[in-house]
Amino acid sequence: MRKTILILSAAAAALAAAPAMAAGGGGGSGGLPSSSGPRVDPAEAFRDGVEALQAKDYKKAEKKFGDVLSAAPKHPEANYYMALAKIGNGKSKNAVRYLEKAIKERPNFVEARERLALVSIELGEPDVAREQLTAIEGLKAECAAAGDCEAAFVARVDTAIERVNAAMGAATATEGPDAAAPAETAEPEGAPEDASGDAPSDDQSSDDQPADDQLSLFFAPRDEGVSHYMGAVRLINEARYGEAIADLHKAQAIVGPHPDILNYLGYSHRKLGIMDKAQDYYAQALALDPDHKGATEYLGELYLEIGEIDEARRQLARLDAICAFGCVEREDLARLIALKETDRRAERQ
Amino acid sequence: MIIRLAAAALCCSQAAAEPLEDARWARPDADIVRILTTSPGECLRPPATKEEARRVEIGRAAFRTPFLFGGTAARAGLSCNSCHRDGHDNPDFFLEGLSGAPGAADVTSSVFSKVREDGVFNPVTIPTLVDAGKKSSFGATSPHGSLDEFIASAVDEEFAGAPPPSVIPAIAAYVAALDSAACPKEPAKTTLDAAMKDARRALLTAQAAFESGDAETASFLLLAARGALGRVHQRLQGDRLEKERATLTALSAAIGDVRAAAGDKQAALAGMPTLLDQFDAAQRSLRRARKKTLFEPKALRRWLEAREEAPH
């Protein structure tokens, strides 16, 4: 039997901590709980928002995804869902910037491109729709050229092309932009149907104890999102970073913004040499949890790799402050800095 | 009485205990209070020589610290003792996707290391290590002819660990000293004193390592001691233990200071007596508050119940 991580479709999901491997490994807030973090639990707000969308409670969805985006403004799915909520509330024009943001953060986000095309037709901007249609067709060609198209992805792309073409045709036939308004404008299609998973709970006693703002993903019950995360951990440990990124995207689409996922997105991009993107993901992880040990460590490693040793030392100092009782993240970064310093000394001699 | 037992069984979920590292590997339906306040009891045979005693103490500390490992295992807080509580099997061990049934683990999974990934989900029952020293072959999936070799491969290949050279033989010495003839009659209580004693033993062993000129092992043991104090710290929850938490944090920082000087044998050794005095003072302070700590079953149960009931 091929090894698989269990997928419990309706299981609860909580999140939080932890990392991958020898080479790296995340390292969320495992060990001592972090003492700081967002006031809003973005993953919980994400779950609530998804539920509200499913219930067609667009006002609540807008509020919840507003909370999510205040903590994680770049999260592509949250931007997309916010756009759906806006459309549901009759504010299609306002939805555009969220769709654009979702696409900027994830250029292969077919659903967002399709929705932007449909909204643009509704708003009388067929050029934008055509632009998105071309981009969607390009995605299909791109994955075909790479020889790694998943059947589900191709099917979704084909559906999007069909829908956009149909809407453009209808708009042309009536020669009036308003006539092409998609019927689903009031009730946006595309809301998640099976975004199962309880959001990460924020179990906390009433005392002052620093509690885990986000429980460890590593120990969370395996809903589908967490299963994708664990799959990504394994892929990272096998140095299959591209596949890991795909799994991490699937995880964050279900789980919502989570520092562990963002940290590993940073890690995987760094291992692929995409440093600017890696740094951006680490920054997003640390925005959600400033005491995230894994992201702090790996940001330090990134600085080492680009030759900014003083910045790496600053991350080490952060870990010294975060890890009052020691932590492997601190030890690993300290070791790598020492190695780098030894190399530099050798080069000078 | 029956009603009371039934109610007790309802408390509490593993998720509620998540901040406590010692509860992370418990199966979801486990009796968390029992797991956190008792252990099977260590079957440690008294050492025959000073040298054996030295090695066993290093091995004992290494067995109990996640710093033995690297990668995912260390970051998740896994130690040898997580799977082999006091050196025994562990029917309560569970990690979804790795265990299959409680008490088992897939030791050939890339969750912890790519080296042993075999592409098959094949968890095996976690064995007891008591009397393992009397065997002639070690390991079911990857048999070795000696305990040293087996432990070295497990630490390196399975858990991506790279401890100082002295540590693997020391763990082998510790495991070899686990003898069924030395087992206690009753399970052991996991008390504040017992947890602090573990940390102190690691400190004393570090001191001995400094004296013998093995700074690398001493540094590793100091880190293990800090980790042990961290697990105590996790059991100090609530406003009323703020002072005690600060005391432990300061103690850990002091250990870190000695560790930072590990390269200077004289300086490190000079710092140890003061450190041990500080440790003993901290322990006295903690003892006075022990009934409020989560080492006490009643306090632990109350805390878990409060977390279960807390709104998300």
Side-chain angles (χ1 to χ4, degrees):
Chain A
M1 180 173 104
R2 178 67 205 161
K3 185 175 315 197
T4 56
I5 300 278
L6 291 180
I7 294 179
L8 303 180
S9 59
L15 305 196
M21 276 328 291
S29 318
L32 286 181
S34 67
S35 55
S36 64
R39 283 167 185 245
V40 172
D41 179 338
E44 186 171 359
F46 185 89
R47 178 200 62 186
D48 291 346
V50 167
E51 285 176 2
L53 266 187
Q54 288 168 331
K56 298 178 180 171
D57 182 349
Y58 300 117
K59 277 194 175 168
K60 183 178 178 187
E62 195 173 331
K63 161 81 174 63
K64 289 298 175 184
F65 288 114
D67 288 345
V68 175
L69 292 172
S70 69
K74 294 185 174 182
H75 192 270
E77 287 76 17
N79 276 286
Y80 172 66
Y81 290 150
M82 174 61 117
L84 295 187
K86 293 276 186 192
I87 292 167
N89 283 324
K91 297 186 270 190
S92 296
K93 196 169 182 182
N94 290 346
V96 170
R97 70 185 176 98
Y98 294 100
L99 292 168
E100 289 174 342
K101 182 82 173 172
I103 293 164
K104 182 185 173 197
E105 296 303 326
R106 186 144 74 77
N108 67 347
F109 199 156
V110 179
E111 292 84 350
R113 288 192 180 280
E114 174 196 298
R115 183 58 48 184
L116 181 55
L118 296 177
V119 167
S120 300
I121 293 167
E122 175 194 343
L123 296 173
E125 296 177 7
D127 288 349
V128 176
R130 270 191 283 276
E131 197 177 296
Q132 290 308 316
L133 183 60
T134 304
I136 292 167
E137 289 166 342
L139 290 174
K140 188 177 176 182
E142 198 177 297
C143 81
D148 61 355
C149 287
E150 282 184 18
F153 179 76
V154 174
R156 187 63 189 86
V157 166
D158 287 342
T159 301
I161 291 169
E162 193 179 315
R163 285 178 178 168
V164 175
N165 275 327
M168 288 176 79
T172 305
T174 55
E175 293 182 3
D178 293 342
E184 68 270 21
T185 297
E187 290 181 2
E189 184 187 308
E193 293 170 359
D194 59 351
S196 64
D198 296 339
S201 62
D202 190 8
D203 291 336
Q204 212 162 333
S205 59
S206 55
D207 57 41
D208 73 332
Q209 205 53 26
D212 249 341
D213 287 290
Q214 305 202 51
L215 296 176
S216 169
L217 272 181
F218 202 80
F219 300 100
R222 298 286 181 271
D223 83 334
E224 198 171 343
V226 179
S227 292
H228 282 304
Y229 171 81
M230 289 299 283
V233 170
R234 292 180 51 181
L235 290 166
I236 286 170
N237 289 338
E238 294 172 32
R240 295 158 62 186
Y241 303 113
E243 293 164 82
I245 288 169
D247 255 354
L248 290 166
H249 282 153
K250 289 173 186 168
Q252 75 168 356
I254 297 170
V255 167
H258 195 282
D260 289 356
I261 296 173
L262 292 162
N263 178 39
Y264 275 138
L265 280 168
Y267 184 85
S268 300
H269 281 88
R270 176 162 64 89
K271 290 295 174 183
L272 291 172
I274 310 169
M275 295 304 195
D276 52 345
K277 196 121 187 168
Q279 195 163 355
D280 187 54
Y281 278 123
Y282 292 140
Q284 290 183 57
L286 291 168
L288 289 178
D289 180 2
D291 289 344
H292 196 276
K293 289 184 281 188
T296 306
E297 175 195 0
Y298 294 148
L299 181 57
E301 290 185 13
L302 183 147
Y303 284 131
L304 271 186
E305 288 174 18
I306 61 177
E308 294 188 23
I309 197 163
D310 287 342
E311 287 297 331
R313 286 196 198 99
R314 262 190 272 282
Q315 297 308 310
L316 182 62
R318 273 294 296 148
L319 285 169
D320 276 327
I322 294 166
C323 302
F325 296 91
C327 63
V328 71
E329 291 84 354
R330 186 262 170 214
E331 296 303 309
D332 279 0
L333 182 57
R335 180 176 50 79
L336 291 172
I337 290 174
L339 275 175
K340 190 70 149 186
E341 286 170 338
T342 303
D343 288 349
R344 281 194 168 186
R345 276 195 297 273
E347 281 169 13
R348 280 193 221 109
Q349 288 167 0
Chain B
M1 186 60 179
I2 289 173
I3 292 171
R4 184 173 289 242
L5 285 174
L10 288 176
C11 181
C12 296
S13 74
Q14 187 243 15
E18 202 277 349
L20 306 180
E21 206 170 291
D22 295 336
R24 284 183 178 168
W25 310 98
R27 61 183 183 185
D29 62 343
D31 179 349
I32 291 293
V33 174
R34 172 184 59 79
I35 287 174
L36 291 174
T37 57
T38 62
S39 69
E42 192 178 23
C43 307
L44 190 59
R45 187 183 61 220
T49 65
K50 256 190 161 181
E51 173 56 17
E52 186 190 357
R54 184 189 70 81
R55 292 174 64 185
V56 165
E57 283 302 296
I58 295 172
R60 187 179 187 280
F63 193 85
R64 285 162 169 72
T65 183
F67 292 112
L68 174 65
F69 298 145
T72 315
R75 285 164 173 77
L78 186 80
S79 69
C80 300
N81 202 55
S82 305
C83 293
H84 304 278
R85 294 191 79 203
D86 286 347
H88 296 264
D89 59 359
N90 184 357
D92 293 314
F93 180 91
F94 184 77
L95 180 65
E96 206 163 317
L98 191 78
S99 291
D106 181 357
V107 296
T108 51
S109 161
S110 59
V111 168
F112 289 125
S113 163
K114 70 175 174 183
V115 179
R116 287 195 178 178
E117 170 66 52
D118 61 1
V120 182
F121 183 54
N122 48 359
V124 295
T125 301
I126 296 167
T128 181
L129 301 177
V130 176
D131 293 334
K134 297 170 186 169
K135 295 181 177 177
S136 57
S137 175
F138 305 93
T141 53
S142 175
H144 290 79
S146 76
L147 258 180
D148 283 57
E149 287 173 13
F150 173 69
I151 291 168
S153 76
V155 169
D156 173 24
E157 295 173 10
E158 196 174 331
F159 298 114
S166 67
V167 168
I168 297 297
I171 297 174
Y174 172 70
V175 171
L178 297 174
D179 188 330
S180 55
C183 286
K185 289 179 181 164
E186 301 287 335
K189 287 184 179 172
T190 305
T191 62
L192 171 68
D193 269 350
M196 289 296 285
K197 192 175 174 187
D198 280 347
R200 197 174 197 280
R201 283 171 77 163
L203 283 184
L204 290 171
T205 312
Q207 186 176 31
F210 276 130
E211 285 165 355
S212 68
D214 185 354
E216 192 181 3
T217 298
S219 177
F220 172 79
L221 291 164
L222 291 174
L223 191 56
R226 292 187 79 183
L229 290 180
R231 290 190 290 280
V232 173
H233 187 270
Q234 289 167 10
R235 304 254 193 154
L236 309 180
Q237 302 274 337
D239 288 344
R240 294 185 303 169
L241 293 174
E242 190 175 350
K243 188 182 77 174
E244 287 75 13
R245 286 198 297 275
T247 299
L248 267 192
T249 303
L251 178 58
S252 176
I255 297 173
D257 291 343
V258 172
R259 186 167 177 256
D264 180 343
K265 179 179 174 180
Q266 294 311 319
L269 276 174
M272 286 304 295
T274 309
L275 187 59
L276 288 165
D277 286 347
Q278 187 176 346
F279 186 99
D280 293 340
Q283 185 161 6
R284 284 193 295 276
S285 162
L286 286 172
R287 266 187 197 137
R288 287 192 287 275
R290 71 179 183 281
K291 291 202 169 173
K292 301 174 202 163
T293 73
L294 302 186
F295 288 100
E296 292 294 314
K298 276 186 187 171
L300 175 60
R301 186 177 298 278
R302 275 198 303 272
W303 180 76
L304 289 168
E305 285 171 349
R307 285 178 59 82
E308 294 273 25
E309 290 163 12
H312 291 175

